[in-house]
Amino acid sequence: MIVTGLSDTATPTTPLTGALGDSADRPDGMPKVTGDFAFSSDLHAEGMLWGRTLRSPHAAARIRSIDTSRATAMAGVHAVLLAEDVPGSPTYGMEHRDQPVFASDVVRYHGEPVAAVAADHPELAVRALAAIEVDYEPLIPLADADAAITAPPIHPDGNVFRHIPLRHGDPDGVDTSDLVTVEGTYEVGMQDQAFLGPESGMAIPDGDGGVDLWISTQWLHVDRDQVADCLGLPRGKVRLALAGVGGAFGGREDVSLQIHACLLALATGRPVKMLYSREESFYGHVHRHPARLWYRHHATRDGDLVKVEARVLLDGGAYASSSTAVIANATCFAAGPYRIPHAAIDGWAVRTNNPPCGAMRGFGAVQTCFAHEAQMDRLAEALDMDPVALRLRNALATGDTLLTGQVITGTAPVKEVIEAAMAHPLPPVHSGDDPPQLLPGGTGMTSTADHVRRGVGMAVGFKNLMFSEGFDDHSTAAVTLELDANGHPVATAQCAAAEVGQGFHTLALQILRSELGVQQVMLGPTDTSIGSAGSTSASRQTWMSGGAVQLACHAVRDELFARASARWDIPTAGARRRMLALRDGEVVEVDGARRIPLADLLADGPIRMIREHHHPPTEPLDANGQGNAHVSFAFAAHRAVVDVDPDLGLLRVVQVTTGQDVGRVLNPRAVVGQIEGGIAQGVGLAIMEEVLVHDGLVRNPSFTDYLIPTMLDMPEVLATVIEQPEPGAPFGAKGVGEPPTISSTPAVVAAIRDATGAALIRVPVRPQDIALPSMASGSASAPADGAEAR
């Protein structure tokens, strides 16, 4: 049965498969499992060249000169390009165009592009890069984010990307003399998105001055606009198509090789393929902002939060990327999903000579969640109160006011997600008969059961969905309904939403089946031949592009009704309108009097409709960080169980349970996949993942030295989803990709604290953070460094 927007309660006779609510198969699932899926790194064109990028070995340096004569003279080298060869805008950037296509006078971070070459063979391209002579004058890098606020500017745009002084209630007027106060400082390391498919793409000149680019990206249209501006071409002369993407997590939202590949293709008149190595990938995309955070919480002795003070400092690295949006999230959600009447929070995002940072899953909320949840545990201890009870007592609900002054009008099941996460059974404790591989240290068999201590911790987090602060957020989709060669209806959806593994293509097909009632569904090309779908980020594509596909389906349906009404000569509007419905491949009158198969109506010709979906407008934050800046919010809670060998500093995350607010489940299997994947990245940040940077230089640009969780590191995951349909959301669904990452990290760290007593004010937690306090104290009850309570 297909609901038409008019009344329809009939029972279907031929149930669809793969509709909304089903665990529909991914169209790319089987090809990826069998190795038949074409990733962007598999692109090939006859006569293609290979492009490579020369990058700065310094975090800060002045360029005295560049000599390309040896590289240019090499046989098989077809182009060597510098900043002076960029015909259009010399700079680019997703929000602020402050990043040079090629550095010309100074370099501002380790790995900044200086030149690009195109050659017959990738190894020849590498030799050509080695033949380019760059005379650098190294400078002392500005590597400290605190110092950057007042240091001499390292860029004409200054060192402060954004400062948000959020003031809520009357923070200066609160009498704190009789309140319980806890204070702490925290740090979050630089995490990498660690997608498995490194950056790659191919640019092909069209012979008429334009260029086509196949690229793995998260936002085709913003890429196109930046490429066209730097090439000095009208946007219609630059066409982008999505190539197979091997993961993204925010790391493909910024331009990497797009401009370089197109420049080389136009310079040589031949297709140019670029493919980063794993090491170059670490230099070639943004990372999660490292953060320093200071907090002071005040509460009544009954446990009611009264006031929070905080300073949030994000290191944005050399160029702006999305730092202004990330610090907005960090500031708006700095105190967590709790009712707090008074707040004074200062959020800073600054420029340094460290690697550029930008979007990554849960951006901004991940950093602050680690701090505010540690504070909640400290406050519970100071109050001699159960930490879960403290959180439940202060949990936000619909109708409550955020720190930004915005009233929550949608669903806010904070208590429900907490209770769901805590309701799962705890794993059994170790017995002497357990295999030693289940202990910390795994197959190394370095721990013994009598040295292992178990800890349990929990945390809660939330974040906005979609783009905020007045951004013109929209998505475009086209739906075509036509007859196939056998005369059967087939529906096709076209949308520029980047499928990066999150499952939008699967969802689009589900929407077609549910809204139009046809089993045969297809996807059109994902490219810039249609309007923008916005970025695949900020948990927005289910709402935005799913909504656009739904609107286009409704327009197709209305045209079907119009054709049926014309045949029956009946009105479909006004007091005499007739109620029509789509049902089992037919247009029917709701009273069942007449029906027409879709195939008959489509004999008049195919139907193609294009629609654009916008979410309700938002507004920028004002000078005090106040305003209705966000559309909707998603909440999640996590409980972690961790086994720790405090003497060796080894640990094993045994179990993570969660309760997550999802609005409505549209594909149960996909939701579970997002929850498991997000928790994996949360566990990674908690105990192992960090880009190590010293004086601006990246020390571990490889998967040998940058560790990510493997299957052996993953804990048991038990999930309960809270279904409370979100008003105004297409299908009532919320994006589900980011919440699993936000509060899983602090839950794991809280469990380690519970097992060891160590303060653990920084993530990722290192073995020495556990073992050294234990050695110093002679027990696992080390004092909580950095914590104050009174």
Side-chain angles (χ1 to χ4, degrees), residues 706-720:
Y706 181 94
L707 302 182
I708 56 177
T710 69
M711 288 294 291
L712 295 176
D713 299 302
M714 274 300 291
E716 175 189 35
V717 173
L718 302 176
T720 298

Side-chain angles (χ1 to χ4, degrees), residues 340-426:
I340 306 178
H342 308 284
I345 297 169
D346 282 276
W348 295 83
V350 300
R351 189 193 308 272
T352 67
N353 288 121
N354 291 320
C357 292
M360 187 176 171
R361 202 173 193 169
F363 57 102
V366 166
Q367 291 92 332
T368 52
C369 188
F370 172 64
H372 66 65
E373 288 306 277
Q375 284 288 103
M376 291 299 284
D377 285 341
R378 285 181 173 177
L379 184 59
E381 183 177 3
L383 293 166
D384 192 22
M385 188 173 182
D386 178 76
V388 176
L390 176 64
R391 288 171 168 89
L392 289 172
R393 185 181 184 93
N394 292 282
L396 283 172
T398 300
D400 283 337
T401 302
L402 301 172
L403 297 186
T404 57
Q406 181 171 353
V407 176
I408 301 175
T409 57
T411 58
V414 181
K415 290 184 177 179
E416 289 86 344
V417 299
I418 294 173
E419 291 168 347
M422 300 303 295
H424 288 284
L426 289 165

Side-chain angles (χ1 to χ4, degrees), residues 474-481 492-496 529-532 547-557 559 607-613:
H474 68 275
S475 178
T476 312
V479 169
T480 303
L481 187 62
T492 303
Q494 184 185 5
C495 183
S529 67
I530 190 171
S532 176
V549 174
Q550 184 189 36
L551 288 177
C553 285
H554 288 177
V556 169
R557 177 204 62 192
E559 174 59 21
I607 302 172
R608 176 179 169 85
M609 296 292 178
I610 301 175
R611 291 294 182 271
E612 196 171 90
H613 178 67

